[in-house]
Amino acid sequence: MGSNSIIVREYLENLKEDGELDALFPILINLMGFRIVATAKEAKGQSQYGKDIIAIGKDEFGVKHRYYFELKGHADKDITDKNYSSKDGVRESIIEAKDTAFNDSSIPAFNSLPIKIVFVHNGIMKTNIRPTFEGFIAREFKDGEFERWDIFYLTDLFSQYLFNENLLTDEHSLRLFKRTLILLDAPENDFSDFRALVDLQIEKIGENNKGRSFHKFFATQILLGNVITHYSIENNNLEPAKQCLTYLLLKTWSWVLSHKLETKPSVIREFRKLVMLHYKMLDKYFATTFPTACKENGLYSERGGFFEEAGFPLRSFEYLNYFVYYCQVRQHYPQFLPKVSDVKRTRLLIKQKSALKKLIENNDGCHRAIMDYHSITVLNVFRFVLDQYDEDDIRFVADYLVSIFENIIITHQITDRFPLLSQDASILIKAIASDNKEGYEDRSSLLITILFELTAILTGEYIYDSFKVGFEGKINLQTAYPNYNVYDIEQLLFEKHFDQEFYVETSLSLKNSFKEFRDWMSEKPIEKIDYRTDRAGFSYLRTLAHVYYKNEFFPDSWRSMLSPKKKDVIEENQWEQSSKSK
């Protein structure tokens, strides 16, 4: 057995039936030429009668059959004398599949097709049960009516139809795949091998985006995501899955946009599977971490030492970013499931806001913006909380804005450092460790400009006047605009961190009065773009792209919130009363 087959077999042997084996198996048989009629996912909560997957396919003689696939994995992957005769065991499942027919009159001639039952298990048959099993099959089935696909046969099929034909056809892909799995849980792993592997698969598919090649490409992407998630769960560390699957999702969407495939139903259908895979990974991630994160300074690491001066806020802001994205995609999740009413969606939003507020209130690190790109997090919080806002939401974001301002000024007074303009956190850590600002660039800021513009959105004159003196003449305020005229900004948003793609307006000044500043802001142009991503139903992906590549939000994303007619605003006396009551 080659090294490729060993990797495939080791992976398949560890798949659970529910959510893992039954997620990948339909991909396999689809590539084998089967037409899937029904899956286990559609039958959740209903009796499946030994039929996890029902499909139409041809046997080795070219005869078309109704295939009933029964899947067993995890604890039941091996056929033993114990699970052979147990409740919902091997024998019972096979008998149920045989005795209960599945009919579908909407498919021409389907009900008259001969039936073939296939028992699929990612394990082996124990020697002591083989005579009993073979005798049972010989009595119950005629020749050609039953097949058993074990780990050895599954390894051959997965190697032939998935790995060998697309993913691991060259030594470079195989080497990257092996290194990814070996180093997945290694400290300081930057997952560059996985990113290179994803890039290579996109390069290989190239312009050949139709038919079988198209299906193999998406099958490969989904398989990669499943493999990474599986081993991350095995290692009890979902951080690698979070990093890897995010890159996989964004780069695949970039490929879709680059070939203008976002309007094709078949592409959207396949891409949604990747979105769901990423969502379910985050669902596990937050189910595991959120209860601890919401405790008092739950995102703080006691073992972090001096690093926590930077590590705590860095960790907190990233956690906030992904949680906002998770909430956003959860709001859209019903698009792929039975329809959810607007009332239920609103209740979900209220519940999500409450969780977000609790997370921020209990973690000091969420209030300490130490990198200029932390404007992304601040805007994520503002935009999410102010969706269908009430007075409490306004007060919360106003208090959060004040807290961000206060911490920036206090840090500057103590360390002579404003938030770092560079993306490189190691420069900040070095400055903290050595108390030396060599190479530390903080003379300019996009973040602080945005913070003051948020005071205008909140009509927070008192906030503006209170903090203006702390920054006047001390820092060069800037705003970055995407260069739509030269670059395909939308596609590049899902590919890279921007450099030349931004043009920067510098030397902005804080006006003498709040009214002057707000009037100045209201006169700024709002250049909106008609995003193909939004039209395809994936608007939340733009949030994820900004977060992952650390590209600051474009000005239209917050300036469009400025409304002279807005009624629910925070006035000076309201903010003073709210602040004093704390």
Side-chain angles (χ1 to χ4, degrees):
M1 181 181 289
S3 58
N4 181 356
S5 296
I6 292 173
I7 292 174
V8 177
R9 178 178 170 180
E10 288 179 349
Y11 168 61
L12 293 176
E13 282 180 324
N14 288 294
L15 292 178
K16 298 176 183 178
E17 175 194 350
D18 189 14
E20 294 185 358
L21 182 59
D22 62 8
L24 284 180
F25 191 75
I27 299 172
L28 171 68
I29 62 173
N30 181 260
L31 291 176
M32 292 173 65
F34 286 84
R35 175 187 173 184
I36 297 174
V37 177
T39 66
K41 181 179 179 181
E42 298 163 1
K44 289 298 182 187
Q46 306 173 28
S47 179
Q48 295 167 238
Y49 300 110
K51 304 174 186 65
D52 287 315
I53 298 172
I54 298 165
I56 301 172
K58 294 180 179 180
D59 64 11
E60 66 270 28
F61 304 109
V63 179
K64 189 178 290 186
H65 284 71
R66 273 182 285 178
Y67 276 82
Y68 297 165
F69 293 96
E70 168 67 3
L71 277 56
K72 292 290 185 182
H74 198 40
D76 292 326
K77 66 181 181 180
D78 296 327
I79 299 178
T80 67
D81 54 357
K82 182 178 180 180
N83 67 10
Y84 171 75
S85 56
S86 65
K87 176 69 175 175
D88 195 31
V90 173
R91 190 180 190 282
E92 182 178 312
S93 296
I94 294 173
I95 288 294
E96 284 187 339
K98 179 186 176 185
D99 289 349
T100 309
F102 179 94
N103 294 319
D104 191 333
S105 300
S106 66
I107 303 175
F110 176 82
N111 296 343
S112 62
L113 290 175
I115 295 171
K116 187 186 287 287
I117 294 173
V118 183
F119 188 83
V120 181
H121 63 114
N122 55 334
I124 62 173
M125 179 185 289
K126 297 295 185 179
T127 304
N128 61 347
I129 196 62
R130 184 177 293 275
T132 303
F133 181 86
E134 295 297 344
F136 162 66
I137 296 300
R139 289 192 306 273
E140 295 292 334
F141 295 95
K142 296 177 182 178
D143 189 38
E145 291 182 343
F146 179 85
E147 293 181 12
R148 180 175 64 88
W149 295 4
D150 63 5
I151 185 61
F152 302 106
Y153 191 53
L154 287 175
T155 299
D156 289 343
L157 291 177
F158 271 88
S159 295
Q160 178 182 352
Y161 288 95
L162 281 173
F163 286 91
N164 280 352
E165 286 205 11
N166 200 31
L167 177 59
L168 302 177
T169 53
D170 60 276
E171 291 186 6
H172 190 194
S173 289
L174 178 58
R175 184 169 61 253
L176 290 170
F177 185 59
K178 287 180 179 178
R179 283 178 55 84
T180 295
L181 296 184
I182 292 170
L183 300 174
L184 190 64
D185 201 36
E188 308 300 326
N189 185 7
D190 64 356
F191 311 107
S192 57
D193 291 314
F194 182 81
R195 292 198 301 271
L197 179 61
V198 171
D199 293 345
L200 184 57
Q201 305 321 302
I202 291 175
E203 179 184 328
K204 285 160 66 176
I205 184 68
E207 301 291 334
N208 190 16
N209 53 45
K210 297 180 180 178
R212 194 168 178 81
S213 295
F214 159 77
H215 288 292
K216 287 180 184 177
F217 170 70
F218 270 101
T220 297
Q221 303 299 77
I222 293 168
L223 185 63
L224 275 175
N226 273 290
V227 170
I228 295 300
T229 302
H230 171 78
Y231 282 111
S232 294
I233 292 172
E234 287 285 304
N235 294 331
N236 196 29
N237 178 13
L238 279 167
E239 184 62 27
K242 179 163 71 75
Q243 296 297 327
C244 292
L245 267 65
T246 298
Y247 185 80
L248 175 68
L249 184 65
L250 296 177
K251 286 303 291 274
T252 303
W253 185 245
S254 173
W255 175 81
V256 170
L257 291 176
S258 69
H259 291 88
K260 296 179 170 55
L261 300 173
E262 73 281 353
T263 59
K264 292 193 173 183
S266 60
V267 175
I268 296 302
R269 185 167 54 250
E270 293 301 313
F271 184 75
R272 279 177 176 168
K273 295 176 184 178
L274 272 182
V275 174
M276 288 300 97
L277 180 62
H278 185 267
Y279 168 80
K280 289 177 181 178
M281 175 276 300
L282 284 181
D283 195 47
K284 291 180 184 293
Y285 177 83
F286 286 113
T288 303
T289 62
F290 200 79
T292 299
C294 276
K295 293 180 180 179
E296 186 176 358
N297 289 326
L299 291 173
Y300 182 81
S301 174
E302 295 285 351
R303 296 178 295 178
F306 83 88
F307 170 76
E308 282 305 279
E309 185 175 336
F312 186 25
L314 289 173
R315 190 181 307 113
S316 298
F317 274 72
E318 179 172 342
Y319 195 89
L320 273 176
N321 275 331
Y322 277 93
F323 185 70
V324 169
Y325 168 78
Y326 169 74
C327 291
Q328 288 177 336
V329 73
R330 180 66 185 89
Q331 287 286 329
H332 289 77
Y333 189 73
Q335 286 185 352
F336 318 135
L337 296 175
K339 188 173 181 180
V340 174
S341 68
D342 290 339
V343 172
K344 288 185 178 180
R345 200 183 296 265
T346 299
R347 287 174 183 167
L348 175 61
L349 178 60
I350 293 171
K351 185 178 179 180
Q352 290 173 335
K353 285 184 186 182
S354 177
L356 180 68
K357 292 174 183 179
K358 183 177 180 181
L359 179 67
I360 291 173
E361 289 168 348
N362 285 346
N363 284 276
D364 292 342
C366 293
H367 301 254
R368 290 160 45 197
I370 57 176
M371 306 288 287
D372 207 61
Y373 69 77
H374 281 164
S375 64
I376 299 168
T377 313
V378 174
L379 285 171
N380 270 332
V381 171
F382 265 71
R383 294 168 71 210
F384 187 73
V385 174
L386 293 183
D387 182 14
Q388 300 182 34
Y389 63 90
D390 58 21
E391 185 175 338
D392 286 339
D393 292 331
I394 292 288
R395 291 185 182 279
F396 175 82
V397 293
D399 287 341
Y400 185 52
L401 179 60
V402 168
S403 182
I404 295 287
F405 266 131
E406 287 178 340
N407 278 290
I408 291 175
I409 288 179
I410 290 170
T411 300
H412 183 256
Q413 290 173 342
I414 296 173
T415 67
D416 192 34
R417 291 195 311 266
F418 281 124
L420 177 66
L421 187 62
S422 166
Q423 306 283 323
D424 189 355
S426 66
I427 296 174
L428 171 63
I429 296 168
K430 181 181 177 181
I432 292 172
S434 63
D435 199 24
N436 187 334
K437 285 189 62 178
E438 183 179 355
Y440 187 98
E441 175 55 57
D442 63 347
R443 292 171 294 181
S444 301
S445 177
L446 301 169
L447 165 66
I448 293 170
T449 309
I450 291 170
L451 294 180
F452 276 106
E453 293 200 16
L454 290 176
T455 69
I457 291 169
L458 295 176
T459 319
E461 182 173 359
Y462 185 84
I463 303 174
Y464 180 88
D465 291 341
S466 296
F467 294 106
K468 180 166 68 78
V469 67
F471 298 96
E472 279 184 309
K474 299 175 184 177
I475 193 165
N476 178 18
L477 301 183
Q478 302 178 340
T479 300
Y481 297 87
N483 197 337
Y484 298 117
N485 298 324
V486 178
Y487 302 99
D488 184 343
I489 290 298
E490 181 175 7
Q491 180 187 328
L492 292 177
L493 179 63
F494 296 94
E495 288 185 7
K496 57 179 287 189
H497 174 69
F498 288 173
D499 184 14
Q500 302 300 323
E501 294 79 8
F502 272 134
Y503 64 89
V504 180
E505 182 181 10
T506 63
S507 303
L508 302 177
S509 61
L510 295 173
K511 309 304 179 184
N512 290 329
S513 72
F514 174 74
K515 183 180 183 306
E516 284 182 83
F517 182 78
R518 199 167 191 270
D519 289 344
W520 167 84
M521 180 182 165
S522 65
E523 293 169 0
K524 302 297 288 184
I526 300 177
E527 190 172 7
K528 289 193 173 183
I529 184 172
D530 181 18
Y531 289 102
R532 292 184 283 153
T533 302
D534 294 13
R535 280 188 270 130
F538 300 113
S539 58
Y540 44 84
L541 283 182
R542 293 193 288 115
T543 295
L544 189 65
H546 281 285
V547 167
Y548 184 81
Y549 292 112
K550 297 181 175 61
N551 286 316
E552 286 81 0
F553 278 107
F554 308 151
D556 68 283
S557 65
W558 72 86
R559 286 178 178 168
S560 60
M561 298 167 67
L562 180 67
S563 172
K565 298 179 181 180
K566 185 182 291 184
K567 295 180 180 179
D568 293 324
V569 294
I570 187 90
E571 301 293 350
E572 175 181 340
N573 61 333
Q574 290 177 309
W575 180 80
E576 282 187 290
Q577 186 178 7
S578 173
S579 180
K580 290 175 182 177
S581 66
K582 286 187 171 294

